[in-house]
Every structure is written in structure tokens, then in C-alpha cells.
Amino acid sequence: MEKTIKSIASNYGLYLGLFIAVVYVVSYAVNLELLTNPFVGIAMLLAIIIFGIVSISKAKKAQNGFISLKEAFTSYFITILIGLIVASVVAIVLFNVIDPDAAITLKEKTIEGTAEMMRNWNAPEESIVETVEKMREQPNQFSIGSVLQSLVIQLVIFSIIGLIAALIMKKSDDNA
């Protein structure tokens, strides 16, 4: 059974990684600004959670409708881990090897979008200037260190969500 859970989770992790990689590559090819669009970001976050939940569901189905909390969380975590690692590798290669200038462009677009959003919310101009200056001082968000730091933070956040999903989806076999 354990191999089945890991196998299912690994497959869904690869699907997730492929999905995120396609979003990066298509956005890069079509319009780089898509990666700064909040709706694209929210859609990717939802996709990550959905892939994890589907992984739990498929693992549960493979075990005749029963899954422990540990097995459910393991299925979710492996899926998210593999997917985010694949996405991180793609981001590092795309924005550090293939086209480092795209990372600079994305940073500028992000800064412009943040300033515009703050103006729309009637933030004081001093606050906008301060925020923009701090953002300009930040290192490249696609540097290897930044991507790895982001990976760890995302794993922690998605693990909390995964634990909640595992709690909801667990079902023990009373006859066992």
C-alpha cells in the first residue's frame, strides 16, 4: 500500500511541476507580465492545493476508500514537494540561464504594479516611495538562493494546508 501512495503522489507531483513549468514557459513566451498578474498567482496557488487534494483522493481510492492521517499527509506532501521542486528548477533555468534579463524585467513590472496598486488604495506618496526603494534593494527573486528560500517557505505554508486537508479526508477502517 505504501508504495502505491508514494507512486500516486509522485505522479501527481510531476503533473503539478509540469503544469507550473508550462505556466512559466507560456507566460515567458506570450507575455512576461502574466507572471505579475495576481489572478495568475492565485490560480497557481489553487492549482497546487487542488493537485495535493486530488493526490490524497486517488491514494484513498487506491486503498478502498480508507486512508490514515499520515498516509493522506504523505500523499499531499510528496505531490507538493515534487511539483514545487520541478517548478523551482524551471524558474532557475529560465530566469538565470536562458534569459536573466527577464528576471530584471519581472522585478521592474512587479515594482510598477505594486506602486500602482498602492496609489489606487490612496496610500501616501512617501509610503509608496519607501516601498519602491525597499523593493529595488531586494535581490533577484529568481536567484538560486531566493528560489530555494521561497521553496522552503511555500513548503511550510502548503504543509499546513495539507495537514488540514489530510485531517478532513482521512478515514479509518473500523473493521481492521
Side-chain angles (χ1 to χ4, degrees), residues 38 113-124 128:
T114 301
E116 182 181 328
M117 180 178 61
M118 291 177 76
R119 283 188 186 94
N120 290 341
W121 288 348
N122 297 320
I128 296 171

Side-chain angles (χ1 to χ4, degrees), residues 104-174:
I104 296 166
T105 301
L106 271 177
K107 182 176 183 176
E108 287 303 315
K109 296 294 182 185
T110 301
I111 291 170
E112 289 171 14
T114 301
E116 182 181 328
M117 180 178 61
M118 291 177 76
R119 283 188 186 94
N120 290 341
W121 288 348
N122 297 320
E125 194 61 34
E126 312 85 53
S127 175
I128 296 171
V129 169
E130 182 181 331
T131 300
V132 167
E133 286 175 7
K134 285 181 182 177
M135 290 179 77
R136 288 195 195 286
E137 292 170 4
Q138 295 294 318
N140 173 3
Q141 69 187 38
F142 294 106
S143 69
I144 294 173
S146 294
V147 170
L148 293 177
Q149 181 181 18
S150 175
L151 174 64
V152 170
I153 292 168
Q154 288 179 45
L155 282 174
V156 169
I157 292 168
F158 286 118
S159 290
I160 294 167
I161 295 168
L163 187 56
I164 294 167
L167 279 167
I168 292 169
M169 297 185 73
K170 75 177 177 80
K171 183 177 182 186
S172 48
D173 187 358
D174 294 333

Side-chain angles (χ1 to χ4, degrees), residues 12 15-16 19 46-56 79-80:
Y12 277 94
Y15 299 150
L16 172 60
F19 172 78
L46 290 174
I48 293 168
I49 294 168
I50 289 168
F51 271 90
I53 291 172
V54 168
S55 175
I56 295 172
T79 298
I80 300 305

Side-chain angles (χ1 to χ4, degrees), residues 13-41:
L14 290 173
Y15 299 150
L16 172 60
L18 180 64
F19 172 78
I20 297 171
V22 167
V23 170
Y24 281 155
V25 172
V26 168
S27 296
Y28 173 79
V30 174
N31 182 358
L32 199 55
E33 287 186 44
L34 287 172
L35 293 175
T36 65
N37 185 317
F39 295 112
V40 172

Side-chain angles (χ1 to χ4, degrees), residues 24 83-95 147:
Y24 281 155
L84 291 177
I85 287 174
V86 169
S88 296
V89 169
V90 169
I92 288 169
V93 170
L94 183 61
F95 296 111
V147 170

